[in-house]
Amino acid sequence: MSAGPAPAEGAADAHWLRRTVELSRLCPPSDTAFSVGCAVVAADGTVLAEGHSRRDDPRDHAEEAALRGVDPGDPRLAGATLYSSLEPCSSRSSRPLPCSSLILATPVPRVVFAWREPSVFVDCVGAERLRAAGRAVVERPDLAAGVREVNAHLLG
Ligand SMILES: [Zn+2]
């Protein structure tokens, strides 16, 4: 796997969120679901996994595609940051577990996302769920423009 700046507030977060936007451009097109990118990055900047929406299955969310590639026993997860271009979901009809639950099943202590999910399809409280469970959640709305651009056809 590749590597880059060590996750920390500020410039490294911006770097990795821009990477998730690039990943979201790989998503197969959809008129009914957002295109999202996700990267799980260790404390030293090593990329542990990447994913994007609909990568392995038409119903895949980016976070579950990325977490599928993570070894649950990898000790680096305890210091890792999960980056997602969109707020992790808190409910969904197509899978038994929303992405916020998949994240809470890992020891990943920190989640950074760019765009708070708009109420186009479902009300999302993913950030609140993660915070309530003790995870650090950082929202970077200053980087949301690229995410909105990728999903502009869904926003009417
Ligand atoms: Zn999701």
Side-chain angles (χ1 to χ4, degrees):
M1 277 287 182
S2 58
E9 294 186 31
D13 282 347
H15 170 92
W16 291 114
L17 282 175
R18 283 191 205 98
R19 174 63 186 153
T20 67
V21 174
E22 290 309 307
L23 289 166
S24 75
R25 296 182 193 281
L26 304 175
C27 298
S30 170
D31 289 328
T32 56
F34 291 114
S35 290
V36 182
C38 177
V40 182
V41 183
D44 66 356
T46 302
V47 176
L48 301 179
E50 291 182 331
H52 56 270
S53 309
R54 302 179 290 287
R55 185 189 69 188
D56 307 326
D57 179 283
R59 295 174 301 178
D60 268 353
H61 284 193
E63 301 94 320
E64 73 178 331
L67 290 172
R68 192 177 293 143
V70 161
D71 171 3
D74 190 329
R76 294 174 295 180
L77 289 175
T81 297
L82 183 142
Y83 292 95
S84 181
S85 58
L86 179 70
E87 177 181 10
C89 63
S90 56
S91 63
R92 61 189 292 193
S93 52
S94 62
R95 287 279 201 273
L97 291 175
C99 293
S100 52
S101 296
L102 297 176
I103 294 167
L104 290 174
T106 77
V108 172
R110 187 166 182 269
V111 175
V112 181
F113 69 91
W115 194 33
R116 183 171 279 266
E117 182 163 335
S119 301
V120 175
F121 303 122
V122 60
D123 277 333
C124 182
V125 292
E128 287 76 8
R129 277 197 75 203
L130 291 164
R131 280 198 188 104
R135 309 298 168 100
V137 178
V138 178
E139 193 174 344
R140 288 291 301 264
D142 55 313
L143 294 167
V147 190
R148 281 195 299 270
E149 181 205 320
V150 171
N151 291 285
H153 62 290
L154 297 174
L155 300 176

